[in-house]
Amino acid sequence: SDELTQPPSVSVSPGQTARITCSGDPLAKQYAYWYQQKPGRAPVVVMYKDSERPSGIPDRFSGSSSGTTVTLTISGVQAEDEADYYCQSGDITTNYWVFGGGTKLTVL
Amino acid sequence: EVQLVQSGAEVKKPGESLKISCQGSGYSFTSYWIGWVRQMPGKGLEWMGIIYPSDSDTRYSPSFQGQVTISADKSISTAYLQWSSLKASDTAMYYCARLGSSVNWFDHWGQGTLVTVSS
């Protein structure tokens, strides 16, 4: 399957660690990218090439990969991290870009 | 600073045509692919297609092939997404986004254009 699967929701208390997974066959060959989307706003990249953090993204965000599963980890979650998170993979050689279904992170 | 500025919200009737735009600035517009992404109300992100403004090479998602047309005018650093006959199911937020140098991800996004199709 070419799909990417994410849990619909993850809930954590402030200061705890949130882990959001993304699974799918494309991840065996291609990098994953993570986007954060807050209500009414455009998505923003928070992780690229599985574990690279763009400038301006807090270091509490980290990424990892194992086989066909990638994980976005947010350590010491803050209220401002509450958002929808989407994983994405893509390959220009096969004209293929796909997003996961999204995970709603709730900070309790 | 890379910026993608999209045209404003639209309200249309079923069957009408529409063309929305995305103007890039702060980088070489002809050196990067631009993509369009749909987000239906309360739903996730869907890749629609991409275009390389330098030569207008265009690739469509199978889900959107034949449903929309993507084009670009490099002289004014602007990409377009158009419909010839809108349906109510086209109601959504549409984002343009620049693809990163590896062309596998979307590194900068426009603010979105809300399209509402209703009789």
Side-chain angles (χ1 to χ4, degrees), chain A residues 30-31 33 35 37 40-45 47-49 54 84 86 88-93 95-101, chain B residues 33 37 39 42-50 59-62 93 95 99 102-112:
Chain A
Q30 299 298 332
Y31 287 119
Y33 306 86
Y35 305 87
Q37 186 181 34
R41 305 298 297 273
V44 172
V45 180
M47 201 65 57
Y48 66 99
K49 288 187 179 179
D84 293 326
Y86 295 90
Q88 178 256 316
S89 188
D91 185 358
I92 182 92
T93 63
N95 293 331
Y96 174 76
W97 291 263
V98 64
F99 289 94
Chain B
W33 292 77
V37 175
Q39 187 168 39
K43 301 299 184 182
L45 304 172
E46 302 173 88
W47 164 66
M48 301 177 71
I50 62 171
R59 320 279 175 93
Y60 291 95
S61 162
M93 181 70 81
Y95 293 100
L99 276 79
S102 68
V103 204
N104 291 336
W105 61 300
F106 303 91
D107 65 354
H108 289 85
W109 293 66
Q111 83 277 17

Side-chain angles (χ1 to χ4, degrees), chain B residues 17-114:
Chain B
S17 62
L18 176 64
K19 191 173 189 178
I20 62 175
S21 66
C22 168
Q23 185 172 42
S25 63
Y27 72 101
S28 173
F29 187 73
T30 53
S31 298
Y32 291 83
W33 292 77
I34 290 278
W36 287 95
V37 175
R38 183 176 78 174
Q39 187 168 39
M40 298 179 77
K43 301 299 184 182
L45 304 172
E46 302 173 88
W47 164 66
M48 301 177 71
I50 62 171
I51 187 166
Y52 192 61
S54 180
D55 60 7
S56 290
D57 183 1
T58 308
R59 320 279 175 93
Y60 291 95
S61 162
S63 300
F64 292 93
Q65 178 83 48
Q67 308 303 308
V68 297
T69 301
I70 294 171
S71 60
D73 184 342
K74 61 185 179 183
S75 70
I76 55 172
S77 301
T78 301
Y80 301 97
L81 177 66
Q82 70 180 85
W83 296 258
S84 59
S85 180
L86 286 160
K87 303 185 279 286
S89 58
D90 292 318
T91 295
M93 181 70 81
Y94 293 88
Y95 293 100
C96 67
R98 191 187 80 164
L99 276 79
S101 54
S102 68
V103 204
N104 291 336
W105 61 300
F106 303 91
D107 65 354
H108 289 85
W109 293 66
Q111 83 277 17
T113 296
L114 180 63

Side-chain angles (χ1 to χ4, degrees), chain A:
Chain A
S1 169
D2 292 340
E3 297 180 347
L4 298 180
T5 301
Q6 301 179 232
S9 63
V10 168
S11 300
V12 296
S13 299
Q16 289 190 326
T17 296
R19 293 180 180 85
I20 301 172
T21 59
C22 173
S23 300
D25 291 342
L27 301 177
K29 298 181 228 176
Q30 299 298 332
Y31 287 119
Y33 306 86
W34 288 94
Y35 305 87
Q36 176 194 68
Q37 186 181 34
K38 295 184 178 179
R41 305 298 297 273
V44 172
V45 180
V46 294
M47 201 65 57
Y48 66 99
K49 288 187 179 179
D50 293 346
S51 58
E52 300 289 329
R53 196 173 52 248
S55 61
I57 301 302
D59 60 7
R60 62 179 181 273
F61 287 83
S62 63
S64 61
S65 174
S66 178
T68 58
T69 298
V70 294
T71 302
L72 177 70
T73 300
I74 311 171
S75 305
V77 165
Q78 300 183 7
E80 67 195 50
D81 300 329
E82 186 164 282
D84 293 326
Y85 291 84
Y86 295 90
C87 62
Q88 178 256 316
S89 188
D91 185 358
I92 182 92
T93 63
T94 55
N95 293 331
Y96 174 76
W97 291 263
V98 64
F99 289 94
T103 298
K104 182 175 182 57
L105 174 66
T106 300
V107 181
L108 300 170

